[in-house]
Amino acid sequence: METMREVLAKGNFILQDELESFESNLCQYLDVDCAFGVGNGTDAILLALRAVGVGGGDEVILPAHTFVATASAVHHAGATPVFADIGDDHMLDPDAVEEVLSPKTKAVIPVQLNGRTCNMDALVEIAERHDLKIIEDSAQALGAEYEGKKAGTFGVAGTFSFYPAKLLGAFGDAGAIVTSDPEVAKRVAWLRDHGRTEDGDVRGWSYNSRLDTLHAAVLDLKLANFDETVRRRREIASRYQDRLGKYEDLHLPPAPTASEHRFDVYQNYEIEFDGRDELKDHLARHGIGTIVQWGGKAIHQFEGLGLGGVSLPITERVMRRSLLLPLHPFLTDDDVEYVCTAVEAFFGDAEI
Ligand SMILES: *Cc1c(COP(=O)(O)O)cnc(C)c1O
């Protein structure tokens, strides 16, 4: 409240110091050269695509187990979204990417889903071999790492969402683009501000997508405490693993300590289970809210988008079986124990 009062008292709401401060702290956190606050995570993808030159006639490869925003950004950039299947870990499968490559492929968007990174070694290698741009949709993965390097920093640009329910949540819509490529940075700077450069020139048709000062100040404050958010999310994931890992039919996300190659930040705790709907109902009866991500449909399964004819077997299996258990830093230890007990009760191993 104090921070918001300060910003309101100054009355400087657009492209001011608070935004620069947040952008520079985000750069430092991620170890990149440039960050640009934008209106939301969807605009971030769209502007990043345009900044790297993706446009009409180009194809962009992405998974279908993601928010519709990833594909709509490609669509609005004038390019065609081409879907590749995911692996059993729910992440974009590098082999599947190779299968859908074409001479028109210009870029790949690995979606760093649920607070976890894709196999970035393999994807970077494919991109180099075929001269493709990588834009990471890291909306769900601020702070996640692959081989010690942060999500959003592998490709020519990375994008983030600060939607309230994301790892770093604003009090409304907000997003960012990060890059260490000076040319891309220059383009993003004018793309987010009507095509305008500092000297008042208009470089091309563009948009109004600026992160306002009030949100920037709030995000800056929350970023300073972000490590604690991540620590707590990982702690809750460990607890779920400890108590629910015994159920072989329940496919849990990898535990925080499962691999030395990745540091997962658990934006979501997405489990897979054949009896997903029954488990969801059971938990609801005990007052536990769960979510079926994207309403249970991958992007190619929304009829309104006219993407029929695409077959993605693993994505479709995950859509039938996946469920998000509660995971956010405001859960108490008792809350987490209660969820675990409720799941055990579902399997007849506990009373609630
Ligand atoms: C939230 C999200 C977006 C879009 O971000 P908005 O800020 O809501 O526009 C894009 N991709 C993924 C994977 C997301 O989870």
Side-chain angles (χ1 to χ4, degrees):
M1 292 308 290
E2 206 178 297
T3 299
M4 292 185 91
R5 233 179 255 121
E6 272 170 31
V7 175
L8 294 174
K10 277 203 280 182
N12 285 340
F13 297 120
I14 304 288
L15 298 178
Q16 301 294 329
D17 295 350
E18 289 79 359
L19 178 60
E20 273 182 32
S21 167
F22 173 59
E23 289 172 342
S24 101
N25 286 326
L26 187 62
C27 283
Q28 214 173 345
Y29 179 72
L30 294 170
D31 194 17
V32 288
D33 291 346
C34 305
F36 296 91
V38 296
N40 55 67
T42 312
D43 283 2
I45 306 168
L46 170 60
L47 300 189
L49 286 165
R50 281 202 53 192
V52 306
V54 170
D58 295 332
E59 292 180 355
V60 177
I61 300 174
L62 70 161
H65 180 10
T66 177
F67 187 35
V68 64
T70 319
S72 57
V74 174
H75 173 85
H76 289 298
T80 305
V82 173
F83 298 101
D85 211 350
I86 53 176
D88 284 328
D89 63 351
H90 300 192
M91 311 302 299
L92 182 62
D93 175 1
D95 292 336
V97 168
E98 295 222 64
E99 280 167 26
V100 296
L101 281 170
S102 92
K104 291 183 182 165
T105 310
K106 179 86 178 240
V108 183
I109 308 182
V111 176
Q112 313 293 33
L113 197 70
N114 297 329
R116 183 175 171 77
T117 52
C118 301
N119 178 345
M120 294 312 296
D121 279 345
L123 290 170
V124 166
E125 192 273 317
I126 292 169
E128 279 172 0
R129 190 150 35 87
H130 297 278
D131 194 20
L132 309 175
K133 310 279 189 196
I134 288 185
I135 291 169
E136 288 168 75
D137 178 352
S138 305
Q140 296 198 356
L142 182 67
E145 293 177 15
Y146 180 84
E147 306 286 12
K149 197 168 152 64
K150 288 218 161 62
T153 69
F154 287 85
V156 62
T159 67
F160 294 90
S161 166
F162 308 119
Y163 177 80
K166 298 288 159 76
L167 293 148
L168 182 69
F171 294 163
D173 281 313
I177 300 169
V178 301
T179 182
S180 292
D181 181 316
E183 287 310 308
V184 171
K186 264 190 226 157
R187 285 177 61 83
V188 170
W190 63 256
L191 279 166
R192 75 166 168 180
D193 188 31
H194 302 284
R196 294 186 298 180
T197 55
E198 273 185 3
D199 57 10
D201 189 22
V202 173
R203 294 285 300 276
W205 298 112
S206 199
Y207 317 85
N208 176 7
S209 186
R210 302 170 302 215
L211 174 60
D212 65 67
T213 311
L214 206 50
H215 278 138
V218 167
L219 289 167
D220 211 12
L221 192 67
K222 290 178 102 177
L223 184 62
N225 296 311
F226 188 62
D227 286 344
E228 174 53 25
T229 300
V230 169
R231 190 199 62 75
R232 179 61 181 155
R233 284 181 177 271
R234 287 170 55 83
E235 186 173 72
I236 295 170
S238 289
R239 197 67 198 128
Y240 279 146
Q241 178 66 42
D242 289 348
R243 288 216 26 209
L244 306 179
K246 62 192 170 209
Y247 296 115
E248 277 180 16
D249 293 346
L250 216 53
H251 179 91
L252 303 180
T257 52
S259 159
E260 59 198 33
H261 305 291
R262 282 192 175 83
F263 182 84
D264 295 350
V265 295
Y266 299 92
Q267 158 75 60
N268 300 310
Y269 196 78
E270 187 175 56
I271 67 166
E272 255 191 85
F273 177 53
D274 268 337
R276 184 265 311 270
D277 295 338
E278 292 77 23
L279 178 60
K280 182 173 179 39
D281 289 347
H282 165 84
L283 294 175
R285 277 197 299 279
H286 294 285
I288 297 167
T290 57
I291 293 175
V292 173
Q293 206 160 204
W294 332 122
K297 282 187 181 171
I299 298 177
H300 67 297
Q301 296 175 309
F302 288 104
E303 273 176 32
L305 299 178
L307 298 165
V310 181
S311 166
L312 303 165
I314 300 181
T315 300
E316 288 155 26
R317 182 198 81 206
V318 170
M319 289 302 125
R320 283 191 302 272
R321 288 166 31 103
S322 73
L323 188 68
L324 305 185
L325 295 188
L327 201 162
H328 59 77
F330 305 106
L331 287 175
T332 64
D333 288 347
D334 284 349
D335 291 335
V336 178
E337 297 306 321
Y338 179 68
V339 175
C340 292
T341 303
V343 173
E344 287 175 352
F346 177 80
F347 289 105
D349 294 332
E351 300 271 337
I352 41 170

